Amino acid sequence: MAVKPFLTDITELRKRARKHLEEGAVTPGYKADRTVVVKLLNEALATEIVCVLRYKRHYFMASGINAQSVAQEFLQHANEEQAHADLIAQRIVQLGGEPNFSPEGLLTRSHAEYVEGDSLIGMIKEDLVAERIAIDSYREMITYLSNDDPTTRRMLEGILAMEEEHADDLVTLLQELGHGS
Ligand SMILES: [Fe+2]
Ligand SMILES: [Fe+2]
């Protein structure tokens, strides 16, 4: 009985790679449903953009006795969410899709909400809610992708880890301000 090779035969791999060259990084071995993945990534992109906008608003509006350090945290998060948005947009293009940067419908596509918050504590709490939403949606996307698109999955795992850090930072801020549970 012939041993089943672990990898696809090399000539077959080479033949497949030559087909559909215009698809770039997407080879016939790509297992996920690309339309679905691009749609999910565009929702994640909208989420990140909304988070950038919300953190920027909070950064500029932060005032009060404890505002300086909190504002710096808001700014850092805004920049990191921007970096996530860029990574996601780049991956959408690699997958042959188009990143949706349209302001129209942005909030509908986004998982997280844009809440201005009425105080420093209110802002931190709203950001924490948004981070927790992002954490759950990234976790679901990672489970959905499983081994069908390991590159996208790994990117999302990296982003998820940072959203968890963000949530942790915000909880620490609340505790420092005497609003921890
Ligand atoms: Fe993010
Ligand atoms: Fe975040």
Side-chain angles (χ1 to χ4, degrees), residues 42-55:
N42 264 318
E43 288 171 10
L45 176 63
T47 304
E48 295 292 351
I49 296 169
V50 167
C51 288
V52 171
L53 296 173
R54 198 193 54 255
Y55 274 124

Side-chain angles (χ1 to χ4, degrees), residues 134-135 138-139 142 156-165:
I135 288 168
Y138 281 123
R139 203 178 281 134
I142 289 163
L156 296 176
E157 283 169 351
I159 296 176
L160 171 63
M162 196 168 280
E163 309 304 5
E164 289 178 352
E165 267 181 53

Side-chain angles (χ1 to χ4, degrees), residues 48 55 77 81 84 131 162-163 166:
E48 295 292 351
Y55 274 124
H77 287 197
E81 311 300 13
H84 296 163
E131 294 292 352
M162 196 168 280
E163 309 304 5
H166 287 171

Side-chain angles (χ1 to χ4, degrees), residues 5 9 22 52 77 79 83 87 94 112 123 160:
D9 176 66
E22 73 284 358
V52 171
H77 287 197
N79 292 336
L87 278 174
Q94 268 181 358
M123 292 180 204
L160 171 63

Side-chain angles (χ1 to χ4, degrees), residues 103-141:
E104 204 168 86
L106 184 64
L107 265 178
T108 317
R109 296 194 300 280
S110 165
H111 301 132
E113 292 173 291
Y114 178 90
V115 183
E116 296 181 340
D118 49 8
S119 63
L120 202 57
I121 296 294
M123 292 180 204
I124 302 172
K125 283 186 175 165
E126 285 305 331
D127 292 331
L128 181 54
V129 169
E131 294 292 352
R132 288 169 60 84
I133 291 169
I135 288 168
D136 271 343
S137 60
Y138 281 123
R139 203 178 281 134
E140 271 185 33
M141 288 173 70

